[in-house]
Amino acid sequence: MNLQLFFVTIVLSSASAYFKTKPSFIKTCLKSDPEFDDCSRDAVQSLFNALGPGLPEIGLPPLDPLKIPKIRILQGEGPVNVNAALDDVTVTGFGKTDVLLSQVDSKSYDFYTRVRVPKIRIEGTYDLKGKILLIPLVGRGLCWFEPTNMTIDIISDVKPYEKDDFIFFNITGAHVKYSIGGLTLRMNNLFDGIDALEDSTNAYLNANWRPVSESLRPILSKTIEDILLGFMQHLFNHLPGNFMIGDIKYHPSKKNEKKT
Ligand SMILES: *[C@@H]1O[C@H](CO)[C@@H](O)[C@H](O)[C@H]1NC(C)=O
Ligand SMILES: *[C@@H]1O[C@H](CO)[C@@H](O)[C@H](O)[C@H]1NC(C)=O
């Protein structure tokens, strides 16, 4: 059994007021419209486009570039056995997100979203001690990872709630599945800068990108979930659901029906 502990820190200021009138980047869809899914896909695309540069009026930082002060990773056993930290992380690419599909459950209002990101670059300072593909790795320094053609399926757990005559979405969970078409990476100063070993190890990891990415999957899935959840919770606490879904209905009984 693997032991996994992750800590992703994103700093979001919570003090800002919510949107009292519909912002221009919001497209309202009607659940009663037979074309709801198409409307919703365009609406979520427009939302992603606005999230790229950020929404300072509600205290939401840019999604591209996305700054993450710290990602801590502890994972024991298995092909990946790492104790790692990534500091001062910059993630670029989410500004070019294509929304492929957006569905909203008629009863629970849970969201199902599929997006594609052509190219993501993750840069930061790493500190690593552990094994990947059974290779012992030790080092600290600058690193980057570039997954290409990433398709992400996101299921968001939603609990609607009422406030000031609006209905808001409380995002209580996010579940992510993704696939990637390729991965290149570089970790500088591996083995404290023994150059030959550093270069050959980086070459090996790149040549074996598929098993490397598979072994990093739990870490990456959880990281994406944590980031998405933080963003969506903040966004939907500051954006009435009525602006997104014009004929939204509040189901106060849902809380009791739904298993946690
Ligand atoms: C990206 O991935 C999707 C799904 O895996 C695939 O259908 C598509 O052809 C890929 N596109 C590119 C440009 O590689
Ligand atoms: C949102 O859901 C969480 C978890 O169920 C709960 O602790 C929190 O109070 C809810 N927030 C609002 C505003 O309803």
Side-chain angles (χ1 to χ4, degrees):
M1 200 59 187
N2 286 6
L3 170 72
Q4 294 168 1
L5 286 171
F6 312 86
F7 305 93
V8 179
T9 322
I10 306 179
V11 183
L12 295 174
S13 65
S14 57
S16 47
Y18 68 84
F19 285 115
K20 302 254 179 351
T21 54
K22 191 177 86 149
S24 60
F25 57 86
I26 293 296
K27 179 177 151 90
T28 307
C29 300
L30 295 178
K31 204 71 186 90
S32 58
D33 178 358
E35 311 286 302
F36 175 84
D37 287 2
D38 289 344
C39 178
S40 171
R41 185 193 57 222
D42 294 348
V44 175
Q45 181 68 63
S46 155
L47 194 55
F48 261 101
N49 297 348
L51 291 179
L55 297 170
E57 58 271 52
I58 58 165
L60 208 54
L63 190 58
D64 192 1
L66 172 65
K67 303 276 186 187
I68 307 170
K70 209 176 259 304
I71 300 176
R72 290 243 168 275
I73 300 156
L74 276 174
Q75 179 171 331
E77 309 302 318
V80 181
N81 174 336
V82 287
N83 183 350
L86 266 181
D87 288 298
D88 303 320
V89 185
T90 303
V91 183
T92 45
F94 281 111
K96 298 234 161 63
T97 299
D98 282 323
V99 178
L100 304 180
L101 185 74
S102 169
Q103 296 177 328
V104 179
D105 189 279
S106 307
K107 285 207 178 72
S108 66
Y109 286 102
D110 289 348
F111 307 154
Y112 172 50
T113 319
R114 175 179 292 160
V115 302
R116 178 179 172 270
V117 195
K119 187 167 155 183
I120 297 169
R121 185 177 168 95
I122 304 159
E123 282 175 282
T125 307
Y126 77 95
D127 187 338
L128 167 71
K129 188 176 189 323
K131 281 183 187 166
I132 296 180
L133 298 186
L134 302 175
I135 312 170
L137 297 176
V138 187
R140 67 182 66 185
L142 296 176
C143 68
W144 56 259
F145 299 85
E146 267 188 23
T148 51
N149 192 24
M150 184 178 243
T151 306
I152 314 176
D153 283 295
I154 310 149
I155 293 177
S156 312
D157 302 329
V158 177
K159 270 188 200 165
Y161 66 98
E162 224 169 352
K163 188 168 86 177
D164 310 339
D165 295 331
F166 285 119
I167 296 166
F168 285 82
F169 295 128
N170 188 2
I171 314 295
T172 56
H175 313 277
V176 158
K177 274 193 186 148
Y178 71 88
S179 67
I180 58 173
L183 173 71
T184 49
L185 62 95
R186 176 76 200 184
M187 285 188 269
N188 283 332
N189 204 42
L190 268 177
F191 310 107
D192 294 318
I194 303 173
D195 284 347
L197 214 47
E198 177 185 324
D199 287 346
S200 60
T201 305
N202 273 295
Y204 182 81
L205 294 174
N206 279 279
N208 293 283
W209 70 266
R210 209 170 264 288
V212 168
S213 77
E214 277 315 310
S215 64
L216 293 173
R217 180 177 291 280
I219 294 169
L220 213 52
S221 298
K222 186 64 170 67
T223 304
I224 297 171
E225 281 173 4
D226 287 352
I227 292 168
L228 270 174
L229 190 59
F231 256 82
M232 288 198 299
Q233 281 176 337
H234 190 88
L235 174 66
F236 287 108
N237 278 332
H238 293 82
L239 178 70
N242 311 72
F243 296 156
M244 299 286 297
I245 302 178
D247 52 356
I248 189 172
K249 291 180 186 69
Y250 179 45
H251 301 291
S253 59
K254 187 196 165 200
K255 205 176 198 167
N256 305 324
E257 288 164 13
K258 214 180 158 194
K259 58 179 170 42
T260 46

Coordinates of all heavy atoms in Angstrom, one line a residue, residues 15-71:
A15 N -11.2 37.9 1.0 CA -12.0 39.0 1.5 C -12.9 39.7 0.5 O -13.8 40.5 0.8 CB -11.1 40.0 2.2
S16 N -12.7 39.4 -0.8 CA -13.3 40.2 -1.8 C -14.8 39.9 -1.9 O -15.3 38.8 -1.6 CB -12.6 40.0 -3.2 OG -12.4 38.6 -3.4
A17 N -15.6 40.9 -2.4 CA -17.0 40.7 -2.6 C -17.4 40.0 -3.9 O -16.5 39.9 -4.8 CB -17.7 42.1 -2.6
Y18 N -18.5 39.4 -3.9 CA -18.9 38.6 -5.1 C -19.5 39.5 -6.2 O -19.9 40.6 -6.0 CB -19.8 37.4 -4.7 CG -21.2 37.8 -4.3 CD1 -22.2 38.0 -5.2 CD2 -21.5 37.8 -2.9 CE1 -23.5 38.3 -4.8 CE2 -22.8 38.1 -2.5 CZ -23.8 38.4 -3.4 OH -25.1 38.7 -3.0
F19 N -19.6 38.9 -7.5 CA -20.2 39.6 -8.6 C -21.7 39.8 -8.3 O -22.4 38.8 -8.3 CB -20.0 38.9 -9.9 CG -18.6 38.9 -10.5 CD1 -17.8 37.8 -10.5 CD2 -18.1 40.1 -11.0 CE1 -16.6 37.8 -11.1 CE2 -16.9 40.2 -11.5 CZ -16.1 39.0 -11.6
K20 N -22.2 41.0 -8.2 CA -23.6 41.3 -7.9 C -24.4 41.4 -9.2 O -25.6 41.2 -9.3 CB -23.8 42.5 -7.1 CG -23.1 42.4 -5.7 CD -24.0 42.2 -4.6 CE -23.4 42.1 -3.2 NZ -22.0 42.0 -3.0
T21 N -23.7 41.8 -10.3 CA -24.3 41.8 -11.6 C -23.5 40.9 -12.6 O -22.3 40.6 -12.3 CB -24.3 43.2 -12.2 OG1 -23.0 43.7 -12.2 CG2 -25.2 44.1 -11.4
K22 N -24.1 40.4 -13.6 CA -23.4 39.4 -14.5 C -22.3 40.1 -15.2 O -22.4 41.0 -16.0 CB -24.5 38.9 -15.5 CG -23.9 37.7 -16.3 CD -25.0 37.2 -17.2 CE -24.9 37.9 -18.6 NZ -25.3 37.1 -19.7
P23 N -21.0 39.5 -15.0 CA -19.9 40.0 -15.7 C -19.9 39.7 -17.2 O -20.6 38.7 -17.6 CB -18.7 39.3 -15.1 CG -19.2 38.3 -14.2 CD -20.7 38.4 -14.1
S24 N -19.3 40.5 -18.1 CA -19.4 40.4 -19.5 C -18.9 39.0 -20.1 O -19.4 38.6 -21.1 CB -18.6 41.5 -20.2 OG -17.3 41.4 -19.8
F25 N -18.0 38.4 -19.4 CA -17.4 37.1 -19.9 C -18.3 35.9 -19.6 O -18.0 34.8 -19.9 CB -16.0 36.9 -19.3 CG -15.9 36.9 -17.8 CD1 -16.2 35.7 -17.1 CD2 -15.6 38.0 -17.1 CE1 -16.1 35.7 -15.7 CE2 -15.6 38.0 -15.7 CZ -15.8 36.8 -15.0
I26 N -19.4 36.2 -18.9 CA -20.3 35.1 -18.6 C -21.5 35.0 -19.6 O -22.1 36.0 -19.9 CB -21.0 35.2 -17.2 CG1 -19.9 35.1 -16.1 CG2 -22.1 34.2 -16.9 CD1 -19.2 33.8 -16.0
K27 N -21.6 33.8 -20.1 CA -22.7 33.5 -21.1 C -23.7 32.6 -20.3 O -23.4 31.6 -19.7 CB -22.1 32.7 -22.2 CG -23.0 32.3 -23.3 CD -22.2 31.6 -24.4 CE -23.0 30.6 -25.2 NZ -23.7 31.1 -26.4
T28 N -25.0 33.1 -20.3 CA -26.0 32.4 -19.5 C -26.6 31.3 -20.4 O -27.0 31.5 -21.5 CB -27.1 33.3 -19.0 OG1 -26.4 34.4 -18.3 CG2 -28.1 32.6 -18.1
C29 N -26.7 30.1 -19.9 CA -27.4 29.0 -20.6 C -28.6 28.6 -19.8 O -28.7 28.8 -18.6 CB -26.5 27.8 -20.7 SG -24.9 28.2 -21.6
L30 N -29.6 27.9 -20.5 CA -30.8 27.4 -19.8 C -30.8 25.9 -19.9 O -30.6 25.3 -20.9 CB -32.0 28.0 -20.6 CG -32.3 29.5 -20.6 CD1 -33.5 29.8 -21.4 CD2 -32.4 30.0 -19.1
K31 N -31.0 25.3 -18.7 CA -31.1 23.9 -18.6 C -32.2 23.3 -19.4 O -32.1 22.2 -19.9 CB -31.2 23.5 -17.1 CG -30.7 22.1 -16.8 CD -29.2 22.0 -16.8 CE -28.7 20.6 -16.6 NZ -28.6 19.8 -17.8
S32 N -33.3 24.1 -19.6 CA -34.4 23.7 -20.4 C -34.2 23.7 -21.9 O -34.9 23.1 -22.7 CB -35.6 24.6 -20.1 OG -35.3 25.9 -20.4
D33 N -33.1 24.3 -22.3 CA -32.7 24.3 -23.7 C -32.1 23.0 -24.1 O -31.2 22.5 -23.5 CB -31.6 25.5 -23.9 CG -31.1 25.6 -25.3 OD1 -31.5 24.8 -26.2 OD2 -30.2 26.5 -25.5
P34 N -32.7 22.4 -25.2 CA -32.1 21.1 -25.7 C -30.6 21.2 -26.1 O -29.9 20.2 -26.0 CB -33.0 20.7 -26.9 CG -34.0 21.8 -27.0 CD -33.8 22.8 -26.0
E35 N -30.2 22.4 -26.4 CA -28.8 22.6 -26.8 C -27.9 23.0 -25.6 O -26.9 23.6 -25.8 CB -28.7 23.7 -27.9 CG -29.7 23.5 -29.1 CD -29.2 22.4 -30.0 OE1 -28.1 22.4 -30.5 OE2 -30.0 21.4 -30.2
F36 N -28.4 22.7 -24.4 CA -27.7 23.2 -23.2 C -26.2 22.8 -23.2 O -25.3 23.6 -22.9 CB -28.3 22.6 -21.9 CG -27.5 23.0 -20.7 CD1 -27.7 24.2 -20.1 CD2 -26.5 22.1 -20.2 CE1 -27.0 24.6 -19.0 CE2 -25.8 22.5 -19.1 CZ -26.0 23.7 -18.5
D37 N -25.9 21.6 -23.6 CA -24.4 21.1 -23.6 C -23.6 22.0 -24.5 O -22.4 22.3 -24.1 CB -24.3 19.7 -23.9 CG -24.8 18.7 -22.8 OD1 -25.3 19.3 -21.8 OD2 -24.7 17.5 -23.0
D38 N -24.1 22.3 -25.7 CA -23.3 23.2 -26.6 C -23.1 24.6 -26.0 O -22.0 25.2 -26.0 CB -24.0 23.3 -27.9 CG -23.9 22.0 -28.7 OD1 -23.0 21.1 -28.4 OD2 -24.7 21.8 -29.7
C39 N -24.2 25.1 -25.5 CA -24.2 26.5 -24.9 C -23.2 26.5 -23.7 O -22.4 27.4 -23.5 CB -25.6 26.8 -24.4 SG -25.7 28.4 -23.6
S40 N -23.3 25.4 -22.9 CA -22.5 25.3 -21.7 C -21.0 25.2 -22.0 O -20.1 25.8 -21.4 CB -22.9 24.1 -20.9 OG -22.1 23.8 -19.8
R41 N -20.7 24.4 -23.1 CA -19.3 24.3 -23.5 C -18.7 25.7 -23.9 O -17.6 26.1 -23.5 CB -19.2 23.4 -24.7 CG -17.7 23.1 -25.2 CD -17.7 22.4 -26.5 NE -18.4 23.2 -27.5 CZ -19.2 22.8 -28.5 NH1 -19.4 21.5 -28.6 NH2 -19.8 23.6 -29.3
D42 N -19.5 26.5 -24.7 CA -19.1 27.8 -25.1 C -18.9 28.7 -23.8 O -18.0 29.5 -23.8 CB -20.1 28.5 -26.1 CG -20.1 27.7 -27.4 OD1 -19.2 26.9 -27.6 OD2 -21.0 28.0 -28.2
A43 N -19.9 28.6 -22.9 CA -19.8 29.4 -21.7 C -18.6 29.1 -20.9 O -17.9 30.0 -20.4 CB -21.1 29.1 -20.9
V44 N -18.2 27.8 -20.7 CA -17.1 27.4 -19.9 C -15.8 27.8 -20.7 O -14.8 28.2 -20.0 CB -17.1 25.9 -19.6 CG1 -15.8 25.5 -18.9 CG2 -18.3 25.6 -18.7
Q45 N -15.8 27.8 -22.0 CA -14.7 28.3 -22.8 C -14.4 29.8 -22.5 O -13.3 30.2 -22.2 CB -14.9 28.1 -24.3 CG -13.7 28.5 -25.1 CD -12.5 27.6 -25.0 OE1 -12.6 26.4 -25.3 NE2 -11.4 28.2 -24.5
S46 N -15.5 30.5 -22.5 CA -15.4 32.0 -22.3 C -14.9 32.2 -20.9 O -14.1 33.2 -20.6 CB -16.8 32.6 -22.6 OG -17.0 33.8 -21.9
L47 N -15.3 31.4 -19.9 CA -14.9 31.5 -18.5 C -13.4 31.2 -18.4 O -12.6 32.0 -17.8 CB -15.6 30.5 -17.7 CG -15.6 30.6 -16.2 CD1 -16.0 32.0 -15.7 CD2 -16.6 29.5 -15.6
F48 N -12.9 30.1 -19.1 CA -11.5 29.8 -19.1 C -10.6 31.0 -19.7 O -9.6 31.3 -19.2 CB -11.2 28.5 -19.9 CG -11.0 27.3 -19.0 CD1 -12.1 26.4 -18.8 CD2 -9.8 27.1 -18.3 CE1 -12.0 25.3 -18.0 CE2 -9.7 26.0 -17.5 CZ -10.8 25.1 -17.4
N49 N -11.2 31.6 -20.8 CA -10.5 32.7 -21.5 C -10.3 33.8 -20.5 O -9.3 34.5 -20.5 CB -11.2 33.1 -22.7 CG -11.3 32.0 -23.8 OD1 -10.6 31.0 -23.7 ND2 -12.1 32.2 -24.8
A50 N -11.3 34.1 -19.7 CA -11.3 35.2 -18.7 C -10.3 34.8 -17.5 O -9.7 35.7 -16.9 CB -12.7 35.5 -18.2
L51 N -10.3 33.5 -17.2 CA -9.4 33.1 -16.0 C -8.0 33.2 -16.4 O -7.1 33.4 -15.5 CB -9.8 31.7 -15.6 CG -11.1 31.4 -15.0 CD1 -11.3 29.9 -14.7 CD2 -11.3 32.3 -13.7
G52 N -7.6 33.1 -17.7 CA -6.2 33.2 -18.1 C -5.5 34.4 -17.4 O -4.6 34.2 -16.6
P53 N -6.0 35.6 -17.7 CA -5.3 36.8 -17.1 C -5.7 37.0 -15.6 O -5.1 37.9 -15.0 CB -5.8 37.9 -18.0 CG -6.9 37.4 -18.8 CD -6.9 35.9 -18.7
G54 N -6.7 36.3 -15.1 CA -7.1 36.5 -13.7 C -8.3 37.4 -13.6 O -8.6 38.2 -14.5
L55 N -8.9 37.3 -12.4 CA -10.0 38.2 -12.1 C -9.7 39.0 -10.8 O -10.2 38.5 -9.8 CB -11.3 37.4 -12.0 CG -11.8 36.7 -13.3 CD1 -12.9 35.7 -13.0 CD2 -12.2 37.7 -14.3
P56 N -8.9 40.0 -10.9 CA -8.5 40.7 -9.7 C -9.7 41.2 -8.9 O -9.7 41.4 -7.7 CB -7.6 41.8 -10.2 CG -7.8 41.9 -11.6 CD -8.3 40.6 -12.1
E57 N -10.8 41.6 -9.6 CA -12.0 42.1 -8.9 C -12.6 41.1 -7.9 O -13.3 41.5 -6.9 CB -13.1 42.6 -9.9 CG -13.6 41.6 -10.9 CD -12.8 41.4 -12.2 OE1 -11.6 41.3 -12.1 OE2 -13.4 41.5 -13.3
I58 N -12.3 39.8 -8.1 CA -12.8 38.9 -7.0 C -11.6 38.2 -6.4 O -11.7 37.1 -5.8 CB -13.8 37.8 -7.6 CG1 -13.2 37.1 -8.8 CG2 -15.1 38.5 -7.9 CD1 -14.0 35.8 -9.1
G59 N -10.4 38.7 -6.6 CA -9.2 38.2 -5.9 C -8.7 36.9 -6.5 O -8.0 36.1 -5.8
L60 N -9.0 36.6 -7.8 CA -8.5 35.4 -8.4 C -7.2 35.7 -9.2 O -7.3 36.5 -10.2 CB -9.6 34.8 -9.3 CG -9.7 33.3 -9.5 CD1 -9.7 32.6 -8.2 CD2 -10.9 33.0 -10.3
P61 N -6.1 35.1 -8.9 CA -4.9 35.3 -9.6 C -4.9 34.7 -11.0 O -5.8 33.9 -11.3 CB -3.8 34.6 -8.8 CG -4.6 33.5 -8.0 CD -6.0 34.0 -7.8
P62 N -4.0 35.0 -11.9 CA -4.0 34.5 -13.3 C -3.9 33.0 -13.2 O -3.2 32.4 -12.4 CB -2.8 35.1 -13.9 CG -2.5 36.3 -13.1 CD -2.9 36.0 -11.7
L63 N -4.5 32.3 -14.2 CA -4.4 30.9 -14.4 C -3.2 30.6 -15.3 O -2.7 29.5 -15.4 CB -5.7 30.3 -15.0 CG -5.9 28.8 -15.1 CD1 -5.8 28.2 -13.8 CD2 -7.2 28.5 -15.8
D64 N -2.8 31.7 -16.1 CA -1.7 31.5 -17.0 C -0.9 32.8 -17.1 O -1.4 33.8 -17.7 CB -2.2 31.1 -18.3 CG -1.1 30.6 -19.3 OD1 0.1 30.6 -18.8 OD2 -1.4 30.3 -20.4
P65 N 0.3 32.9 -16.5 CA 1.0 31.9 -15.8 C 0.4 31.7 -14.4 O 0.0 32.7 -13.7 CB 2.4 32.4 -15.7 CG 2.3 33.9 -15.7 CD 1.1 34.2 -16.6
L66 N 0.4 30.4 -14.0 CA -0.1 30.1 -12.6 C 1.1 30.0 -11.7 O 2.1 29.2 -12.0 CB -0.9 28.8 -12.7 CG -1.3 28.1 -11.4 CD1 -2.3 29.0 -10.7 CD2 -1.9 26.7 -11.8
K67 N 1.1 30.7 -10.6 CA 2.2 30.7 -9.6 C 1.8 29.8 -8.4 O 0.7 30.1 -7.8 CB 2.5 32.1 -9.1 CG 2.8 33.1 -10.3 CD 4.3 33.0 -10.6 CE 4.6 34.1 -11.6 NZ 6.0 33.9 -12.1
I68 N 2.6 28.9 -8.1 CA 2.3 28.0 -6.9 C 3.5 28.1 -6.1 O 4.6 27.7 -6.5 CB 2.0 26.6 -7.3 CG1 0.9 26.5 -8.4 CG2 1.7 25.7 -6.1 CD1 0.7 25.1 -9.0
P69 N 3.4 28.6 -4.8 CA 4.6 28.8 -4.0 C 5.3 27.5 -3.7 O 6.5 27.4 -3.6 CB 4.0 29.5 -2.7 CG 2.7 30.0 -3.1 CD 2.2 29.2 -4.2
K70 N 4.5 26.4 -3.5 CA 5.1 25.2 -3.0 C 4.2 24.0 -3.3 O 3.0 24.0 -3.1 CB 5.2 25.3 -1.4 CG 6.3 24.5 -0.8 CD 6.4 24.8 0.7 CE 7.4 25.8 1.1 NZ 8.8 25.5 0.7
I71 N 4.9 22.9 -3.7 CA 4.2 21.6 -3.9 C 5.1 20.6 -3.1 O 6.3 20.5 -3.4 CB 4.0 21.1 -5.3 CG1 3.2 22.2 -6.1 CG2 3.4 19.8 -5.4 CD1 3.1 21.8 -7.6

